[in-house]
Amino acid sequence: MATFKTRLSKISKSNGKVILANDYDLSTRNLESKTIENIKKLHPFLSGIKLNFHLLLPLGTKEITRINNISHRYGLQTIADIKLNDIGNTNKITTEHLWNFGFDAVIINPIMGLESLKNLVKSAHKNNKGIITLCHMSAPEAKLSYDMEIKIRKKQRLYQLFLDWALAAKVDGIVVGATFPEIIKYCSKNVGKKLNIFSPGVGTQGGSAHEVMSAGTDYLIVGRTILNDKNPISIAKELRLQSLTKK
Ligand code: BMP
């Protein structure tokens, strides 16, 4: 079986490089059928779908497995966005559950440490699954934490350390917010083709799809800009075209 990176790259050749952040709030009923409807309606313009922790909580094993199976039927890769950050033992159990649900990849928080990260990558890759780590988040206040100056062996910023760890652990991808295009450029220069850059924060949060794709982003993660639009299909189509902007 191909790796997560290869599977994602393959579907993106026809469908473009947009991953739907399938986010809904507490007032939304029928989460499962809404999600399946999104997959059926939007799949030609998506390479994947991301399900956040808050979406997984009210769903059960059956529902999550069905969503993953239907996504796969349409060729979409599925990402569990739980920003996992715990000790090795519970990380292992959590990812085993996610793989059993049928997810292709998980987003994790590298603050857990390099050794834990390496272990997760090893076990994920044995199962042909992917690991994506946070590098620099999209919210304005991320500057305070991810840009923090630190010193372990040398002086650097926290996101630079997370980038070094992502490379050392051979993760499949990193998250760098679309609202920080200069940081995307820095990361892109340093990673080359070794891993993919995933950028949330386009549209509603102020990031520009064109700008981040030219800065070096590989995949756009987009939620509200598509889901809250009067015509989600046309906005997804337009974002698909923008996601094909050359680096
Ligand atoms: P939206 O396009 O509606 O702003 O959604 C962005 C999605 O990306 C959300 O699911 C959010 O959890 C996620 N995200 C983010 O916005 N910024 C980050 O730095 C990391 C994320 O995972």
Side-chain angles (χ1 to χ4, degrees), residues 52-67:
N52 251 32
F53 199 23
H54 75 275
L55 196 102
L56 299 178
L57 282 175
L59 294 174
T61 303
K62 253 201 217 149
E63 290 82 4
I64 300 173
T65 307
R66 204 174 296 135
I67 290 170

Side-chain angles (χ1 to χ4, degrees), residues 197-233:
I197 301 179
F198 294 81
S199 292
V202 163
T204 311
Q205 293 185 49
S208 141
H210 266 309
E211 193 180 358
V212 300
M213 292 309 298
S214 330
T217 288
D218 295 289
Y219 295 95
L220 303 171
I221 294 178
V222 189
R224 289 165 293 176
T225 306
I226 295 174
L227 298 175
N228 296 347
D229 196 86
K230 275 195 289 258
N231 190 342
I233 293 183

Side-chain angles (χ1 to χ4, degrees), residues 5 17 174 184-199 209-220 241-247:
K5 253 176 93 180
K17 300 182 145 204
I174 53 171
I184 295 173
K185 266 188 211 156
Y186 169 86
C187 293
S188 175
K189 247 190 232 148
N190 281 279
V191 302
K193 288 195 184 321
K194 289 191 193 118
L195 53 78
N196 291 139
I197 301 179
F198 294 81
S199 292
H210 266 309
E211 193 180 358
V212 300
M213 292 309 298
S214 330
T217 288
D218 295 289
Y219 295 95
L220 303 171
L241 282 180
Q242 292 179 16
S243 79
L244 298 171
T245 308
K246 285 265 178 287
K247 282 192 191 184

Side-chain angles (χ1 to χ4, degrees), residues 84-227:
L84 180 67
N85 175 26
D86 203 355
I87 56 168
N89 177 51
T90 56
N91 286 340
K92 185 168 178 287
I93 300 164
T94 305
T95 49
E96 278 167 7
H97 275 302
L98 294 174
W99 309 150
N100 288 339
F101 288 156
F103 280 107
D104 296 288
V106 61
I107 298 182
I108 71 176
N109 189 332
I111 199 82
M112 65 174 66
L114 183 55
E115 281 317 302
S116 293
L117 203 55
K118 282 183 176 168
N119 288 337
L120 273 175
V121 172
K122 236 184 256 163
S123 68
H125 285 179
K126 252 189 225 152
N127 292 290
N128 292 309
K129 305 292 184 179
I131 297 287
I132 300 167
T133 51
L134 297 177
C135 184
H136 194 298
M137 293 187 74
S138 61
E141 63 190 347
K143 217 173 155 34
L144 275 178
S145 43
Y146 289 87
D147 273 10
M148 196 188 313
E149 198 170 83
I150 53 159
K151 188 175 172 200
I152 298 187
R153 273 184 214 97
K154 55 178 180 185
K155 260 197 196 164
Q156 61 182 163
R157 305 275 168 178
L158 185 59
Y159 74 84
Q160 293 170 322
L161 176 73
F162 285 168
L163 182 63
D164 290 348
W165 283 0
L167 288 167
K170 296 192 167 58
V171 306
D172 302 272
I174 53 171
V175 171
V176 185
T179 45
F180 293 95
E182 289 309 313
I183 292 175
I184 295 173
K185 266 188 211 156
Y186 169 86
C187 293
S188 175
K189 247 190 232 148
N190 281 279
V191 302
K193 288 195 184 321
K194 289 191 193 118
L195 53 78
N196 291 139
I197 301 179
F198 294 81
S199 292
V202 163
T204 311
Q205 293 185 49
S208 141
H210 266 309
E211 193 180 358
V212 300
M213 292 309 298
S214 330
T217 288
D218 295 289
Y219 295 95
L220 303 171
I221 294 178
V222 189
R224 289 165 293 176
T225 306
I226 295 174
L227 298 175

Side-chain angles (χ1 to χ4, degrees), residues 22-40:
N22 189 71
D23 294 336
Y24 285 104
D25 62 22
L26 285 175
S27 67
T28 308
R29 308 230 165 266
N30 306 320
L31 278 179
E32 184 197 359
S33 53
K34 264 214 166 304
T35 305
I36 292 171
E37 194 186 309
N38 286 340
I39 297 165
K40 291 189 172 165

